[in-house]
Amino acid sequence: MKKYLNFQHLFLWMVLLGTAAFSVSCDSDDLYDPSFENIDNELQLSISEESVALSEEDKSRELEFIWSTGTNYGTNQGIFYTLEIDLEENDFSFPLEYELGKETYDFSLRYGVLNDILQNTYGVEAGDSVDLTARITASVGGEEDMDQVDVVNFTATTYQPLTEELYLIGSASPNGWDANNPIEMTRQGDEAVFEYTGSLNEGEFKFITTLGEFLPSYNMGEDENSLFYRTSDDEPDDSFEITEAGVYNIEANLLDGTISVTTVDDPPFSKLYIVGDGTESGWTVDDPAEFEQNEEDPFIFEYEGTLSPGDMKIFAGPMGDWCGQWYRPLEAGQDITNTDVEQNSGCDVDNTWRITEETEGRYKITVNTRDESVEIEQVNLYIVGDGGPNGWDINNPEPMERSGSVYTYTGPLGEENATGEFKIAKFKGDWCDGEWINSASNGQSISNTEFIYTQGCDGPDNKWKLREGEAGDYIITVDLDAETISIEAQ
């Protein structure tokens, strides 16, 4: 028998198991303890399966431990239970221990969690079988030397768990072969099924499981409908092929090793518009402000603008027809922060979103016509750069104060670096995750407030740069409606 020990992971898994890995059932009446009436009851532990073949398919299935009450020896004291699980060869020198309290007579451990414990705490390799032992101890409250113990042995065979993430890369992908910036597939619930719907170029693609790493990967297997799990450069590196650019749905089932790639019809609408007295359009369906259609995914439409107190809804045409096609909320006067929506037509149900004085401001609205969903996010601006107060920390940039479409930063520039640089972000958390406001040229003086918009990491990555003697306190004002910036020394 191999020695399977990995002490580095013990504490982590003890915490995990203590919070989410098991379920315990107990009586709801704390005033009644059945052990009071079982003076002669012998403690007995049983297990639902003595030989457990763990698997991805059954990872939610539970291994159950059940025990009798034991006895309090007529002391009229409650009985407290402790369950321990260990490798049989360890003889409980390195157990997982669960303090279960009173009136608890069963414990459940999911297959997936047990598999993780065996691999990450005890170092058992995938596919290995290991002998385990469980011990229940019943302790009589307030009494020493009255512990009762029973033990049950069992075996478990581990498996290689499937990845929690899957990413699309390749010349057919919108992001190309960049393993550091792949397209993340959407996982379907707790299933090992991943999906992507969007634009693909003519070219090749495959999947990786880890950002920045080309292995392991899922490649084309025996045919275009099968997956091959590749772990070595020595193994075949066959990719799937897209012969014609278009919008596709890809569904990869890692559990059964299959993949389907199907073309997607055109989006239901070619244009969307924002309408309402809380918007720049007002109540017109003749010439309302238009959403921008996403170039990579034509099913996605985006709009950014300032919303004022009033109402709004989303128009899909045809122009001039109030009883045409709409995306409207489920309730009349629904709060702008509630994105529940339905696509409908006609004038019978005319629900609108409501913008109040508390919720007015600059927003980005994204409509996914594929799944008929809407995202409504308030736009924030942040100062980023070593010329600003928070440096190059995109996770914690300096926020600008928001008032409608006007954003203001009041504070020092060049405090940490007297000739530092800065730019303005509409997001935080990832360098390539949103839109930037950059200076018109790189290294531009703060006296020149001309600017451009850039998306993600597409660049150019221009920044304003402080000159010698310019460090000090400033007010930076950005008006997104007027598309102006001012930088004024204090």
Side-chain angles (χ1 to χ4, degrees), residues 168-184 196 199 201 296 458:
L168 172 71
I169 62 170
S171 57
S173 165
N175 291 3
W177 288 105
D178 187 357
N180 293 301
N181 187 34
I183 299 294
E184 183 172 3
Y196 166 76
S199 296
N201 306 312
E296 294 181 352
D458 295 338

Side-chain angles (χ1 to χ4, degrees), residues 54 56 60 78 132 137 151 175 191 210 219 241 247 298-299 320 329 400 443 448:
L54 305 174
E56 183 79 30
S60 296
L132 299 160
T137 301
V151 174
N175 291 3
E191 302 298 322
T210 308
N219 295 57
E241 185 178 4
V247 179
F299 286 81
M400 301 184 74
N448 182 351

Side-chain angles (χ1 to χ4, degrees), residues 17-35:
L17 290 169
T19 57
F22 60 89
S23 63
V24 176
S25 68
C26 61
D27 297 335
S28 59
D29 188 355
D30 292 336
L31 299 178
Y32 172 72
D33 185 342
S35 63

Side-chain angles (χ1 to χ4, degrees), residues 358-483:
E358 289 75 23
T359 58
E360 67 177 326
R362 186 87 174 182
Y363 284 84
K364 180 179 180 181
I365 302 175
T366 304
V367 180
N368 186 331
T369 62
R370 182 180 294 105
D371 60 14
E372 297 181 357
S373 65
V374 172
E375 291 182 6
I376 304 175
E377 302 170 297
Q378 200 153 37
V379 175
N380 295 294
L381 296 186
Y382 305 91
I383 303 293
V384 179
D386 60 356
N390 283 15
W392 294 111
D393 187 355
I394 191 61
N395 291 295
N396 186 34
E398 180 69 15
M400 301 184 74
E401 185 176 346
R402 181 183 61 241
S403 177
S405 69
V406 179
Y407 297 76
T408 305
Y409 164 74
T410 303
L413 293 178
E415 190 172 46
E416 297 296 328
N417 184 349
T419 57
E421 301 173 309
F422 68 90
K423 53 184 176 177
I424 300 171
K426 286 186 175 181
F427 63 98
K428 59 180 180 178
D430 188 289
W431 289 106
C432 300
D433 212 21
E435 190 174 50
W436 294 92
I437 299 176
N438 302 79
S439 56
S441 59
N442 195 31
Q444 184 171 304
S445 169
I446 60 174
S447 63
N448 182 351
T449 56
E450 292 184 9
F451 67 93
I452 60 173
Y453 295 103
T454 63
Q455 188 67 38
C457 293
D458 295 338
D461 191 21
N462 298 339
K463 296 171 280 289
W464 283 276
K465 182 174 177 61
L466 296 164
R467 305 299 193 262
E468 289 288 345
E470 289 184 337
D473 291 333
Y474 286 82
I475 295 180
I476 301 177
T477 304
V478 180
D479 189 333
L480 292 179
D481 278 358
E483 295 192 326

Side-chain angles (χ1 to χ4, degrees), residues 133 214 306 346 370 486 488:
T133 185
F214 285 98
T306 300
R370 182 180 294 105
S486 66
E488 300 175 354

Side-chain angles (χ1 to χ4, degrees), residues 112-351:
V113 173
L114 179 57
N115 188 72
D116 289 340
I117 293 171
L118 294 176
Q119 292 190 28
N120 294 294
T121 300
Y122 292 108
V124 182
E125 295 181 0
D128 282 358
S129 180
V130 63
D131 295 324
L132 299 160
T133 185
R135 177 170 68 188
I136 189 71
T137 301
S139 303
V140 180
E143 303 291 340
E144 298 180 359
D145 303 324
M146 288 189 178
D147 287 356
Q148 305 143 75
V149 175
D150 196 28
V151 174
V152 64
N153 295 324
F154 63 103
T155 62
T157 304
T158 60
Y159 67 92
Q160 178 62 50
L162 296 175
T163 180
E164 298 287 329
E165 293 88 24
L166 193 67
Y167 303 93
L168 172 71
I169 62 170
S171 57
S173 165
N175 291 3
W177 288 105
D178 187 357
N180 293 301
N181 187 34
I183 299 294
E184 183 172 3
M185 306 277 286
T186 300
R187 185 169 184 171
Q188 296 184 0
D190 195 38
E191 302 298 322
V193 178
F194 296 83
E195 188 175 17
Y196 166 76
T197 302
S199 296
L200 291 177
N201 306 312
E202 181 180 346
E204 298 178 324
F205 73 88
K206 61 180 180 178
F207 309 99
I208 58 174
T209 65
T210 308
L211 282 174
E213 302 291 338
F214 285 98
L215 290 173
S217 65
Y218 282 89
N219 295 57
M220 187 175 72
E222 296 178 354
D223 55 47
E224 61 184 9
N225 300 120
S226 64
L227 294 165
F228 170 69
Y229 185 61
R230 182 171 181 259
T231 60
S232 168
D233 287 327
D234 297 330
E235 295 176 310
D237 191 17
D238 297 326
S239 297
F240 299 94
E241 185 178 4
I242 297 296
T243 58
E244 183 178 353
V247 179
Y248 290 82
N249 174 266
I250 301 175
E251 187 174 284
N253 188 326
L254 306 189
L255 197 59
D256 61 18
T258 61
I259 180 175
S260 66
V261 182
T262 56
T263 57
V264 176
D265 294 334
D266 292 334
F269 307 108
S270 60
K271 294 181 182 294
L272 293 182
Y273 310 88
I274 192 163
V275 173
D277 61 354
T279 77
E280 63 179 300
S281 300
W283 291 117
T284 178
V285 291
D286 296 316
D287 188 27
E290 187 174 341
F291 280 65
E292 182 177 349
Q293 191 172 28
N294 189 288
E295 293 182 359
E296 294 181 352
D297 186 350
F299 286 81
I300 303 296
F301 293 80
E302 298 167 319
Y303 167 84
E304 182 178 315
T306 300
L307 301 182
S308 305
D311 292 321
M312 63 147 282
K313 52 185 177 177
I314 299 168
F315 183 49
M319 285 292 194
D321 186 359
W322 282 104
C323 296
Q325 299 290 336
W326 296 89
Y327 287 91
R328 293 183 272 214
L330 304 187
E331 299 178 359
Q334 185 168 300
D335 190 276
I336 192 67
T337 60
N338 183 344
T339 57
D340 292 341
V341 66
E342 63 179 1
Q343 196 283 308
N344 52 40
S345 62
C347 295
D348 293 335
V349 178
D350 193 24
N351 297 331

